[in-house]
Amino acid sequence: MANTPQAKKRIRRNNRRAEINGARMSRIRGFVKKVETACEAGDKEAAQTALKNAQPEMARGVARGVMHKNTASRKLSRLTKRVAAL
């Protein structure tokens, strides 16, 4: 249990940040899911638009420190390859 006022404040702050970061990651996963479902359906047009929407969202996640740069790059690369294969 935190004793100092600073430690108590850090706990409050960390809980708030965890909530915000969780929402951000969930949002990114949603955008990625749209690309994947469009790929599975074989809809190239929808997959391309979904990919265009997912790209800045993942970049925003990297900028905000929610996602590692290489992870975002790898996922984006794999998604792009899947869309191109359609």
Side-chain angles (χ1 to χ4, degrees):
M1 185 63 208
N3 288 327
T4 64
Q6 181 186 5
K8 289 176 183 173
K9 184 177 178 179
R10 287 296 279 188
I11 289 170
R12 287 197 308 271
R13 183 189 145 283
N14 289 345
N15 290 339
R16 262 198 317 270
R17 294 309 308 168
E19 201 173 305
I20 292 166
N21 290 343
R24 265 203 195 109
M25 277 306 290
S26 177
R27 184 176 159 86
I28 291 169
R29 277 194 296 268
F31 275 91
V32 170
K33 190 77 167 176
K34 282 179 190 169
V35 179
E36 289 172 344
T37 50
C39 284
E40 286 169 12
D43 191 356
K44 186 168 185 151
E45 206 52 45
Q48 284 175 333
T49 19
L51 182 64
K52 250 179 205 163
N53 293 336
Q55 198 167 2
E57 202 60 41
M58 290 173 92
R60 204 169 293 124
V62 170
R64 303 269 158 81
V66 175
M67 193 179 229
H68 194 273
K69 185 172 67 172
N70 292 353
T71 304
S73 180
R74 183 183 67 241
K75 286 178 184 276
L76 208 55
S77 173
R78 288 177 183 173
L79 285 174
T80 308
K81 215 164 29 172
R82 279 182 69 183
V83 170
L86 290 176

